[in-house]
Amino acid sequence: MYTDEEILCSLMEVRERAEARREWLSFLLKTEYPPEDIYELISKERQAIADLDSLIYEEQVKAAHTALKQLALCEFSGSP
């Protein structure tokens, strides 16, 4: 099983790669002969980035909830 931190790191890496690909596609758009489906490709990358942002947010909330729960248990039991 992966830790919350490992999951977040993986999601962030994938997001960075998607962002780099979107930037590359945007560069291709400005070339003299861009691919015919360039707008569709850029749109797909933007959607992928938005989906990844949502997943990252959900994982951050989950990690914060777990940490808060652990802190509450420590406070309740009196252990550090």
Side-chain angles (χ1 to χ4, degrees), residues 23-35 38 41:
E23 289 174 8
W24 172 248
L25 290 170
S26 293
F27 169 76
L28 286 179
L29 180 64
K30 298 171 188 168
T31 61
E32 192 171 336
Y33 299 105
I38 192 75
L41 294 171

